[in-house]
Amino acid sequence: SSGVTISSSPAVVDPVTDECDVFWLGANHTLQTMRWTQAAGWTTPAPVPGATNADSGPDATTMLTSKNIVVAYRGTDGRFWTVTRASGTWAAPVAFNTAHPLPAPPARVDPSIANSGGDIPNVFYTATNGVIYHSSDNPATRASSIWNSVPGSGTTSGPDAWNDLPTHVDVISGHNGVVGTAAWSQATGWRAWQ
């Protein structure tokens, strides 16, 4: 046990073997993190630099190619934000997809983040209308996609998304009263909720 008290669901990534990084919502709208390694155990909790505007728990992913860690969260301004750690150094948080307005207000649940095309963050959120929306925002070019919806409504919790290939993503959430999953592939698009 780390002995740390947290105020949101934790998010975890494992960028290298025998190591994991954990993130959570701390006091005063900060994001906090600590690392566990097989050799040394837990590090001391520390703030994620600059992430002082958080209004939700975070989610985190490791980019498939660069292995950079990207953390997503909802800010106190209602927008989504990402903050990236590359080669051990944190960049300043940036507002996610400022080019396209949110299609519906976010519900008071945590967002999720996965990869799109290998090294492009793709944020998922549950809206107050029960639909999950997602968008990608290329950090190199700042080119942003429109917000697309996962087909179907009736989502009753925040989503979690993950992918093992650049051309495939899975989403899981409370859906119509049960745990459901929907998958997307470049070849076939979205599969129905199961």
Side-chain angles (χ1 to χ4, degrees), residues 32-142:
Q32 301 286 314
T33 184
M34 63 183 177
R35 178 176 297 146
W36 178 89
T37 63
Q38 181 72 34
W42 289 106
T43 61
T44 301
V48 175
T52 59
N53 64 334
D55 198 34
S56 75
D59 193 28
T61 191
T62 303
M63 294 289 108
L64 294 177
T65 304
S66 68
K67 303 306 179 187
N68 293 343
I69 292 174
V70 183
V71 180
Y73 61 94
R74 187 182 62 251
T76 52
D77 59 0
R79 296 186 296 176
F80 293 103
W81 290 74
T82 58
V83 58
T84 301
R85 191 184 83 193
S87 302
T89 302
W90 286 102
V94 294
F96 183 86
N97 191 348
T98 57
H100 301 96
L102 297 177
R108 298 291 299 177
V109 294
D110 303 343
S112 186
I113 187 169
N115 289 275
S116 174
D119 271 357
I120 300 173
N122 200 359
V123 169
F124 293 76
Y125 81 94
T126 296
T128 53
N129 62 7
V131 174
I132 294 175
Y133 294 95
H134 61 97
S135 173
S136 62
D137 194 13
N138 189 323
T141 64
R142 302 311 309 174

Side-chain angles (χ1 to χ4, degrees), residues 5-9 24-27 30 56-57:
T5 301
I6 63 176
S7 56
S8 72
S9 297
W24 67 93
L25 177 64
T30 62
S56 75

